[in-house]
Amino acid sequence: TTTTTTTTTTTTPQAGSTTTTTTATITTTTAAATTTTTTTTTTSQFVSLGSTTSTSVSETSVLQTTNEPFPCQPLTLLNPSLEHDASMVPNDGDFIRFATNWEVSGSAGTFNPPQAAFFGTDSNGNLPYPGDGQDVLFIKPDAKASYMFPTMPTNNPDATLSISFAIGFRNDRTFIRPTNATISISSGPTALAKLFLPKMYEPQPGSFVMATIRIPVFENLKITFEVVGDPRAQYAIDNLNACVTSAASTSTSTSTSSSSSTSSSTSS
């Protein structure tokens, strides 16, 4: 089952330039059908999902009634599943504060989880879906991990970039769950969106959840992962994917109101 929340943020540039609007959509995949209403925060720079505060603005509510956008042209990513440095973490529990093609700082890097860390890991150490391969990116609250996307295959203003990734929470030791996970999207020096993983979709111990973000296509696009909470807290990031679609197959019903709450869901 997938639940989709669409949020719009308005960025006010410097004086003399026009105001721009960026719409970001985050979808989380769960085991059971769920319909949710998420409060939206509109600020001058960021869009936040899962926030409890809101700004009363006139906005459009869009109810998605069919399936995923199509066609989606995959982007070729380097080391999206953190397997490139496997020779440096050959044993269960090995880790390094480094990940090829990623920019990491603080307590983050490539990690080879023990079999007990995630339910469904096989005897060879292959992780259960939506994890992928044998290694993950570990990240703690003092860290940042960023990935720069390649040149986009289109400059069509109607094109959409879909970014998906797995977030996991270990079960092999008594770990403190991070207070939250944040995902920032930027284009060069310009911040486009900052997303928070809704509490109700946090991964359970020993499991992953898959999240998908949909935004307009920009060049020089970077995604940055951070976690918030106790210094001992930890999440795992894995299976990063991205594709570009020039048109959506979703059929939408649209209404305009002065509410600051957006509700949107899709059940599979």
Side-chain angles (χ1 to χ4, degrees):
T1 300
T2 58
T3 300
T4 304
T5 305
T6 304
T7 312
T8 301
T9 188
T10 300
T11 302
T12 305
Q14 297 178 350
S17 58
T18 59
T19 297
T20 59
T21 299
T22 300
T23 300
T25 302
I26 187 167
T27 301
T28 47
T29 302
T30 57
T34 306
T35 299
T36 184
T37 299
T38 301
T39 303
T40 301
T41 301
T42 301
T43 67
S44 61
Q45 191 174 27
F46 290 132
V47 52
S48 301
L49 301 186
S51 174
T52 57
T53 60
S54 63
T55 301
S56 181
V57 294
S58 179
E59 62 182 31
T60 300
S61 298
V62 179
L63 177 65
Q64 296 194 349
T65 57
T66 56
N67 295 322
E68 299 293 326
F70 81 98
C72 205
Q73 180 178 348
L75 298 183
T76 299
L77 306 184
L78 301 176
N79 198 24
S81 292
L82 287 303
E83 303 301 315
H84 186 277
D85 304 305
S87 63
M88 302 174 70
V89 287
N91 303 308
D92 285 359
D94 286 354
F95 70 92
I96 52 172
R97 287 185 171 89
F98 173 79
T100 297
N101 297 114
W102 292 72
E103 179 183 339
V104 298
S105 62
S107 297
T110 306
F111 173 55
N112 183 344
Q115 186 176 0
F118 296 102
F119 300 124
T121 301
D122 68 21
S123 58
N124 293 319
N126 295 304
L127 298 165
Y129 182 84
D132 184 59
Q134 298 180 357
D135 300 327
V136 299
L137 177 85
F138 79 92
I139 184 167
K140 293 186 175 184
D142 68 336
K144 289 185 179 181
S146 301
Y147 192 93
M148 178 72 75
F149 289 99
T151 301
M152 297 297 156
T154 177
N155 58 3
N156 184 338
D158 296 324
T160 299
L161 176 67
S162 297
I163 305 168
S164 64
F165 50 89
I167 301 179
F169 184 47
R170 294 171 61 180
N171 190 59
D172 56 317
R173 292 165 56 187
T174 304
F175 279 96
I176 297 174
R177 181 186 294 278
T179 304
N180 215 321
T182 68
I183 303 97
S184 302
I185 308 291
S186 59
S187 174
T190 304
L192 300 176
K194 188 171 186 179
L195 309 174
F196 298 84
L197 182 68
K199 288 283 187 183
M200 63 189 303
Y201 298 119
E202 291 177 342
Q204 295 303 306
S207 69
F208 291 89
V209 296
M210 177 68 84
T212 302
I213 299 171
R214 294 184 178 87
I215 59 172
V217 167
F218 291 88
E219 290 298 341
N220 302 313
L221 202 66
K222 179 190 286 188
I223 184 170
T224 299
F225 298 92
E226 297 176 81
V227 298
V228 179
D230 187 283
R232 296 166 294 174
Q234 182 182 140
Y235 267 152
I237 307 296
D238 198 15
N239 200 10
L240 179 68
N241 287 280
C243 64
V244 173
T245 180
S246 58
S249 64
T250 52
S251 146
T252 62
S253 59
T254 305
S255 62
T256 301
S257 67
S258 295
S259 168
S260 63
S261 177
T262 300
S263 176
S264 179
S265 67
T266 303
S267 295
S268 61

